[in-house]
Amino acid sequence: MFSVLLTALLSVVASEETTNPSYASAYRCAQEEGKPLMVVVGADWCPACVNLKQSTIESLKQAGDLEGVEMAIVNRDVEPGLAGKLMRGPMMPQIIVFSKGNAGSWTRVQLTGFQTRDSLKSLIKRAVRNSGT
């Protein structure tokens, strides 16, 4: 019984990592491939954060609009140290996009609060275009 439970738990964790990669994994891929990195910082108790993840982000994934970026979702309650380093101000959600410019330096653009699909799509397109990927 324990092995069945452990197998089920590991498969859920593996599928969660595939659909929502960890910050470390997404950061590493963005560095290696020169892709923009989009980080969503939120919390499970935040209605705007949940709506952003379940509706806007899922819609972008299904449409293929996230293919040009690496993405990670950081839960402020689970990873408070990392969230604290990423966040500017207390409001959530925060969508932070790091992209490599022509000079090779990384730039940061942040949107705070719930965002529409179109605003995120525009932000992603700009970051991809600027990074040349």
Side-chain angles (χ1 to χ4, degrees):
M1 181 65 174
F2 178 73
S3 64
V4 171
L5 180 61
L6 183 59
T7 302
L9 178 62
L10 289 175
S11 69
V12 168
V13 169
S15 75
E16 180 71 18
E17 178 68 19
T18 302
T19 58
N20 293 317
S22 69
Y23 174 82
S25 174
Y27 175 84
R28 185 175 49 254
C29 288
Q31 290 287 320
E32 290 171 359
E33 298 175 22
K35 284 182 168 181
L37 171 63
M38 183 171 90
V39 183
V40 178
V41 181
D44 293 339
W45 51 264
C46 165
C49 303
V50 172
N51 191 14
L52 179 74
K53 289 189 301 185
Q54 290 179 350
S55 136
T56 309
I57 301 283
E58 279 306 310
S59 174
L60 289 168
K61 279 182 187 178
Q62 290 173 358
D65 293 326
L66 296 177
E67 291 180 9
V69 298
E70 292 296 326
M71 190 188 83
I73 296 176
V74 175
N75 185 316
R76 189 180 84 174
D77 295 331
V78 175
E79 298 179 275
L82 175 59
K85 290 178 183 176
L86 291 167
M87 293 177 72
R88 291 194 177 152
M91 290 189 58
M92 291 190 301
Q94 292 189 17
I95 300 99
I96 307 152
V97 177
F98 299 96
S99 59
K100 200 169 194 176
N102 294 335
S105 61
W106 288 84
T107 60
R108 173 193 172 113
V109 176
Q110 176 177 320
L111 300 175
T112 302
F114 179 79
Q115 301 297 318
T116 65
R117 184 178 185 278
D118 288 341
S119 67
L120 283 183
K121 189 175 177 180
S122 175
L123 176 66
I124 292 165
K125 279 185 177 180
R126 221 176 20 250
V128 170
R129 185 177 56 245
N130 292 343
S131 69
T133 57

